[in-house]
Each structure stands twice: as structure tokens, then as C-alpha cells.
């Protein structure tokens, strides 16, 4: 048995590698920077966790969400790994200070890109022996991607200052243009290997439900299916409203999760959901990127997603354990209008921002508090591009255009009568898969034929949860 297989068995308890893991690990062990695209739930974390044990220094993992970091940290701790820490905004000042003073004692350091950009934090990283630098959910680097985070654009600069340690970029959803951005930003002047795999998720059945009354549909669907699931909303208020309605009618606990829920509550809710104490989450996109709950049986989109990238990322949270799962979009004609409206809104915001063209830095600072989040993001891009307003204007115009096209692609996906899986694969430029699946989508087999694994149905029938018990647990009554 070679070292890798031994580690895989002894540390992680797995008998074989999953798709793409061995290739990525071998590439890193041969000292090559690596960029891997693997579908959601295939085990990207192992691609950096395992080789870390074969390197003598530290592994830094840049991760975009607190929930995702907490999830990864608790997973490593469960495996018995103690030298792991997450540096993010939930740490109070004394804890942060303590972690920074003792940074070299941790093997795995998770950090948000914003925290890494803080001067006092970055200083401490320069003294480390970083033998692997990981950018998880690397699509956040692309201004064209669905989760763009401006602080990701500093990574190139940060890597340079850290003497370009061995780098691994991981993501599940990258179109060709997003892949190019990742390559340019992270590896432009360095050698790197790429491992790109198809986004196909064989165990997810894709369905679009055209319904008059979405709440009615949910109530009857959920009454029959007592299993862990996520319902995604575009609006925080709607997520809360539906969670209240569902809690009234269902015999198990439903919670809501969005950006305005305090960070402590978010961690708590995520943990309860992972432990099956909360059965269903009504969430916005703030929940989930990379969260590893294995037995999510269904993901429902109450509102139409604005792009296939977002849809594939979110629906991909179902069935990480490989068992049969379902993704449903609830659709009413005209649902796409809200996205066009928001895109127009953003176009107007851009026009307003042009008012700042040629203003001095001091003046820009004065206006900063009046700007929207989008406008602040654009300003960061502008600064990075040396305040080139003309190219900015062009870029924003084409971005607006691209967003519109993405929403049109999404509308086409829900309206069309072709295989939905194939539409997704085409969109991501993945090769045609000649083997037809027996459980594919509602355009290939009637939805009545979809069935969950029988053992799952029985498992969750037994686990009806008493919501009073949960409230007692929550408030330690
Ligand atoms: P991703 O980041 O690709 O979405 P994760 O790294 O969170 O996925 O892993 C998904 C699940 O797959 C985890 O429960 C993990 O324990 C499991 N897993 C990872 N590698 C293997 C393996 N080689 N064999 C079996 N299960 C694995
Ligand atoms: Mg992941």
C-alpha cells in the first residue's frame, strides 16, 4: 500500500479515491500548481487535506463563507485533527489576537479573503512556512462569475508577497470564461496543471414544476416527504414567511437562513440542520456554498434562479451521499422578470456611479457611505484597474448584457422540452454523455416515476422530530 492509500484509509476511513482526487493529489505532490473543477459533493476538500499531511508546512485555505469554514473545521476536528483554525469576522478581538500570535502552531488555517487582506493579519502570514495555499470556491475570483468577491482579486498580489507557494484552486461551477479568469488571476506567470471534470450529478433528478400556487405545491410535496431539504428564495422576507407557514403545517422543524440572521444564529442553525434537528431550511443564497450535509434529499427553488451557474451550485447540495435526490424549480410564467428588473436597477446604479468619474480620491471617500454594495464592488475593480473609467464602462455594459443572457438561458432551461441534464452539460461545455440515465429529468421520464431510495423513506419516517424538544434544546430550557 503506498503512502497516499494508507493515509486515505487510516486518517479518512475511505477505501478508494473518488473522481479527480488522485489526479489532483498526484499533481500537487509533484510540486505543480493545480486547478481542479469537480462537481459539487465529489470530495474536493480531500484534494488538499490529504496532501497536507505529506507536506511539512502549513496549509492555508481561502474560503468565501463563514458557514463553509465552520463546516470544514468541524469535519477536520471530527477526524481528530486539532491544529485547525478559522480566521474570520466571528472571532472576537482577543481570540483573533491569540490565533495570530500562535499561527504557526496550526496545520490548517481557514481564512476569508477579506481577513487575509488586513495588514496586521497578512504580516503574520509572511512568517509561516506555507507548503500549500488553497483557494476554495475559486469562481468567486471572476467578475463574470455568480459569486464575485472583490477581495479575491487581491489574491494574486498576496500570493506574490508570500513567494508564490504551491497553489491549488478548486471549484464546482466554472464556465469557460470563468475558468480563464481563474487561470489569469492565480496562475498567470506560473506553470499549472488543470483537471476539469463534467458537472454531471447522476443521482439528481431535475424537475420543473409549473404551478399556480407554489405554497400549495410545497405543502403537499413536503407532507409526503419527510426528509432533509433546502428551499431557496431570492428574497429574505419570503424565506421567513414560508418558514413560518411550513412550521404551522408540518410535523417537523423548519428554519430560515439568510444574510440578516446573526452570525452566531447562522452557525447554530447550520449545525442543527446538519444534525437533522432542523429538517428543512428556507434559505437565500447566503446558505450553502460547499456546506457538507450529505443526506439532503431535495433542493427546491421557490424563485427562478438568475443563472444556470447559480442553479447548478445550489441544486448540487442535494445527494452528496450519492443517493437518489431531486431538484425542483417552481415556475410561473414571468418569474424571470424580477431578475431583469434587478439587472436594470444595477444598470442605473452604474450610471449613477459615472457621476464620480474624474473626482479626486478624497471626494470619492466622501461619497463612499452613500454607495450601494454593488457600487462599492465596482469601485474596487476600478481602483485595481488604475481608475480606467472608459474600460470600466465598457466592462459593465457587457456584464449587464451577459447577465441578461444568463437569465435568458435559465428561462430557456425551464421552458424547453429537451433533456434538462443535457442542457446543463451543454451550458458548461461538457461533453455529451452517451449513456442515457434511467432517472434523469421530467423531460426524459414522467415525474410520477421518480422515487427516493426506499430505505431513506423509512429512515426519515421514524425520525419525526418534536419541535418542542428542539426549542428546549435551543434555549436550554
Ligand atoms: P465538495 O467540496 O467537492 O463539494 P466535500 O469535500 O465537502 O465535497 O466532500 C463531500 C463528501 O464526500 C464528504 O462527506 C466526504 O467525506 C466524502 N468523500 C470525500 N472523499 C471521499 C472518498 N475518497 N471516498 C468516500 N467518500 C469521500
Ligand atoms: Mg467544497
Amino acid at each position: 500500500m503506498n503512502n497516499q492509500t494508507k493515509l486515505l484509509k487510516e486518517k479518512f476511513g475511505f477505501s478508494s479515491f473518488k473522481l479527480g482526487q488522485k489526479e489532483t493529489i498526484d499533481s500537487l505532490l509533484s510540486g505543480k500548481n493545480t486547478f481542479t473543477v469537480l462537481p459539487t459533493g465529489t470530495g474536493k476538500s480531500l484534494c488538499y487535506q490529504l496532501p497536507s499531511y505529506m507536506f511539512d508546512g502549513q496549509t492555508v485555505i481561502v474560503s468565501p463563507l463563514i458557514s463553509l469554514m465552520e463546516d470544514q473545521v468541524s469535519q477536520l476536528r471530527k477526524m481528530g485533527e486539532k491544529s485547525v483554525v478559522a480566521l474570520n469576522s466571528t472571532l472576537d478581538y482577543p481570540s483573533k489576537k491569540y490565533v495570530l500570535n500562535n499561527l504557526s502552531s496550526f496545520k490548517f488555517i481557514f481564512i476569508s479573503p477579506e481577513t487575509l487582506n488586513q495588514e496586521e493579519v497578512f504580516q503574520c502570514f509572511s512568517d509561516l512556512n506555507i507548503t500549500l495555499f488553497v483557494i476554495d470556491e475559486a469562481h468567486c475570483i471572476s467578475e463574470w462569475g455568480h459569486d464575485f468577491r472583490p477581495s479575491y482579486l487581491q489574491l494574486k498580489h498576496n500570493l506574490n508577497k508570500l513567494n508564490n507557494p504551491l497553489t491549488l484552486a478548486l471549484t464546482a461551477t466554472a464556465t469557460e470564461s470563468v475558468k480563464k479568469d481563474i487561470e489569469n488571476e492565480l496562475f498567470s506567470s506560473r506553470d499549472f496543471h488543470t483537471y476539469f471534470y463534467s458537472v454531471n450529478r447522476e443521482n439528481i433528478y431535475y424537475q420543473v414544476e409549473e404551478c399556480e400556487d407554489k405554497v400549495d405545491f410545497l405543502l403537499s410535496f413536503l407532507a409526503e416527504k419527510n426528509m432533509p431539504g433546502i428551499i431557496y428564495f431570492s428574497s429574505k422576507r419570503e424565506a421567513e414567511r414560508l418558514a413560518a407557514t411550513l412550521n404551522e403545517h408540518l410535523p417537523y422543524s423548519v428554519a430560515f437562513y439568510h444574510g440578516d440572521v446573526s452570525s452566531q444564529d447562522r452557525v447554530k442553525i447550520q449545525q442543527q440542520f446538519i444534525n437533522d434537528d432542523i429538517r428543512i431550511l428556507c434559505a437565500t443564497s447566503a446558505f450553502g456554498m460547499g456546506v457538507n450535509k450529505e443526506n439532503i434529499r431535495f433542493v427546491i427553488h421557490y424563485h427562478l434562479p438568475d443563472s444556470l451557474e447559480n442553479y447548478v451550485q445550489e441544486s448540487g447540495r442535494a445527494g452528496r451521499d450519492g443517493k437518489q435526490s431531486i431538484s425542483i424549480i417552481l415556475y410561473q410564467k414571468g418569474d424571470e422578470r424580477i431578475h431583469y428588473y434587478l439587472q436594470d436597477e444595477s444598470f442605473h446604479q452604474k450610471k449613477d456611479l459615472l457621476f464620480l468619474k474624474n473626482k479626486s480620491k478624497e471626494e470619492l471617500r466622501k461619497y463612499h457611505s452613500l454607495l450601494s454594495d454593488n457600487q462599492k464592488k465596482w469601485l474596487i475593480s476600478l481602483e485595481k484597474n488604475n481608475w480606467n473609467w472608459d474600460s470600466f464602462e465598457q466592462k459593465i455594459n457587457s456584464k449587464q448584457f451577459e447577465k441578461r443572457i444568463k437569465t435568458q438561458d435559465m428561462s430557456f432551461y425551464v421552458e424547453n422540452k429537451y433533456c434538462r441534464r443535457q442542457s446543463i452539460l451543454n451550458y458548461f461545455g461538457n461533453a455529451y454523455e452517451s449513456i442515457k440515465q434511467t432517472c434523469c429529468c421530467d423531460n426524459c421520464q414522467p415525474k410520477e416515476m421518480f422515487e427516493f431510495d426506499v430505505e431513506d423513506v423509512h429512515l426519515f419516517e421514524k425520525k419525526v422530530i418534536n419541535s418542542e424538544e428542539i426549542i428546549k434544546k435551543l434555549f436550554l430550557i
Side-chain angles (χ1 to χ4, degrees):
M1 210 191 284
N2 71 15
N3 270 355
Q4 288 179 39
T5 334
K6 213 168 149 203
L7 262 175
L8 183 71
K9 253 209 158 72
E10 287 172 4
K11 271 241 177 263
F12 298 89
F14 301 136
S15 51
S16 58
F17 285 108
K18 284 173 62 173
L19 180 80
Q21 288 180 330
K22 185 154 173 47
E23 292 75 359
T24 305
I25 292 168
D26 281 346
S27 164
L28 291 171
L29 292 175
S30 71
K32 294 279 186 324
N33 300 307
T34 307
F35 174 19
T36 296
V37 179
L38 272 172
T40 46
T42 34
K44 286 187 285 299
S45 319
L46 191 104
C47 295
Y48 65 79
Q49 287 171 354
L50 190 143
S52 295
Y53 288 109
M54 301 175 87
F55 295 135
D56 53 3
Q58 292 160 291
T59 299
V60 174
I61 306 109
V62 174
S63 178
L65 292 177
I66 292 169
S67 56
L68 178 50
M69 275 185 238
E70 300 293 339
D71 187 55
Q72 301 283 311
V73 168
S74 73
Q75 221 177 313
L76 278 165
R77 289 210 175 117
K78 259 190 221 152
M79 264 173 46
E81 180 55 65
K82 291 200 178 66
S83 51
V84 47
V85 73
L87 262 166
N88 56 41
S89 57
T90 57
L91 285 185
D92 56 19
Y93 190 70
S95 317
K96 184 173 164 192
K97 200 92 198 134
Y98 172 83
V99 171
L100 287 177
N101 286 337
N102 294 282
L103 211 50
S104 58
S105 64
F106 296 102
K107 177 80 184 165
F108 295 94
I109 304 166
F110 290 84
I111 187 159
S112 65
E114 287 78 12
T115 309
L116 185 66
N117 284 340
Q118 293 165 11
E119 190 75 31
E120 59 154 356
V121 174
F122 192 76
Q123 279 305 318
C124 303
F125 278 75
S126 346
D127 301 332
L128 297 180
N129 172 27
I130 302 172
T131 39
L132 182 58
F133 193 98
V134 184
I135 294 103
D136 201 7
E137 312 291 353
H139 57 271
C140 296
I141 223 165
S142 169
E143 289 166 273
W144 309 97
H146 47 106
D147 291 306
F148 172 53
R149 289 274 285 272
S151 344
Y152 268 74
L153 293 176
Q154 293 298 316
L155 284 173
K156 186 191 212 164
H157 181 64
N158 291 340
L159 279 165
N160 257 327
K161 287 212 283 194
L162 295 169
N163 295 325
N164 289 314
L166 180 67
T167 303
L168 168 66
L170 293 168
T171 179
T173 43
T175 55
E176 291 308 311
S177 70
V178 172
K179 280 180 192 157
K180 280 210 181 72
D181 281 353
I182 295 173
E183 291 175 0
N184 289 338
E185 277 299 318
L186 293 176
F187 304 111
S188 61
S189 54
R190 302 193 284 161
D191 271 354
F192 64 99
H193 277 182
T194 55
Y195 297 96
F196 297 158
Y197 294 86
S198 162
V199 297
N200 192 18
R201 290 289 311 279
E202 287 180 10
N203 62 324
I204 299 180
Y205 176 89
Y206 295 98
Q207 179 180 335
V208 174
E209 185 68 31
E210 278 210 54
C211 43
E212 291 278 303
D213 189 327
K214 296 184 179 184
V215 179
D216 260 6
F217 173 85
L218 277 180
L219 285 172
S220 62
F221 178 87
L222 298 174
E224 281 169 26
K225 295 181 183 67
N226 177 12
M227 297 170 160
I230 308 177
I231 309 172
Y232 275 106
F233 295 81
S234 309
S235 129
K236 297 172 194 166
R237 232 180 313 137
E238 285 282 276
E240 286 189 24
R241 190 175 69 82
L242 255 293
T245 309
L246 297 180
N247 258 326
E248 244 173 62
H249 290 89
L250 298 174
Y252 42 81
S253 184
V254 181
F256 61 85
Y257 184 110
H258 55 60
D260 291 347
V261 175
S262 74
S263 51
Q264 279 117 326
D265 281 351
R266 274 193 263 168
V267 171
K268 205 154 57 183
I269 293 169
Q270 180 178 328
Q271 217 41 55
Q272 288 177 321
F273 182 52
I274 287 173
N275 295 339
D276 285 331
D277 289 342
I278 286 170
R279 186 59 50 83
I280 293 170
L281 268 193
C282 292
T284 62
S285 57
F287 179 79
M289 202 197 291
V291 169
N292 181 34
K293 177 172 170 60
E294 294 201 321
N295 60 354
I296 295 174
R297 294 276 71 92
F298 60 86
V299 170
I300 298 178
H301 280 82
Y302 189 87
H303 295 118
L304 185 73
D306 66 348
S307 66
L308 274 161
E309 277 122 303
N310 270 338
Y311 175 56
V312 167
Q313 198 37 266
E314 288 169 355
S315 60
R317 277 152 209 158
R320 280 170 166 247
D321 51 9
K323 292 187 181 178
Q324 191 57 62
S325 306
I326 187 166
S327 159
I328 308 176
I329 297 176
L330 305 186
Y331 180 62
Q332 274 168 4
K333 275 203 185 331
D335 273 357
E336 52 285 337
R337 259 178 272 153
I338 177 72
H339 297 302
Y340 294 137
Y341 169 79
L342 292 172
Q343 286 158 15
D344 285 348
E345 182 96 322
S346 125
F347 182 71
H348 292 305
Q349 285 189 12
K350 180 212 78 175
K351 278 187 132 175
D352 292 347
L353 197 65
L354 289 174
F355 163 77
L356 298 177
K357 191 170 169 175
N358 302 328
K359 295 257 187 290
S360 68
K361 277 195 179 161
E362 283 70 44
E363 282 175 291
L364 286 177
R365 225 167 277 138
K366 231 173 39 200
Y367 286 105
H368 200 262
S369 62
L370 301 174
L371 301 179
S372 71
D373 286 350
N374 263 339
Q375 288 173 320
K376 286 176 188 160
K377 277 188 186 180
W378 291 331
L379 272 193
I380 295 173
S381 296
L382 261 165
E383 193 172 0
K384 190 179 169 270
N385 291 308
N386 296 321
W387 303 104
N388 184 342
W389 285 89
D390 292 335
S391 83
F392 162 76
E393 195 172 356
Q394 268 175 16
K395 213 167 171 178
I396 293 290
N397 282 335
S398 52
K399 190 176 160 103
Q400 293 290 131
F401 181 68
E402 181 145 326
K403 278 196 154 181
R404 237 189 143 75
I405 300 285
K406 282 184 178 182
T407 304
Q408 279 169 13
D409 286 338
M410 193 70 237
S411 300
F412 183 69
Y413 171 87
V414 290
E415 297 264 2
N416 88 35
K417 297 285 167 256
Y418 311 119
C419 171
R420 301 201 193 276
R421 186 177 308 279
Q422 200 52 57
S423 307
I424 293 172
L425 293 179
N426 288 346
Y427 182 80
F428 286 98
N430 293 156
Y432 182 80
E433 317 236 328
S434 53
I435 309 157
K436 265 243 172 239
Q437 291 194 209
T438 48
C439 187
C440 183
C441 68
D442 53 351
N443 283 342
C444 288
Q445 296 95 20
K447 61 187 181 197
E448 291 72 25
M449 284 177 65
F450 172 82
E451 275 174 10
F452 288 103
D453 293 348
V454 177
E455 67 199 81
D456 270 340
V457 177
H458 294 311
L459 176 73
F460 288 104
E461 265 170 8
K462 280 194 218 116
K463 273 190 110 182
V464 172
I465 284 166
N466 178 344
S467 46
E468 261 174 47
E469 260 172 39
I470 292 168
I471 292 167
K472 276 186 195 157
K473 261 196 223 167
L474 244 177
F475 298 102
L476 301 173
I477 298 170

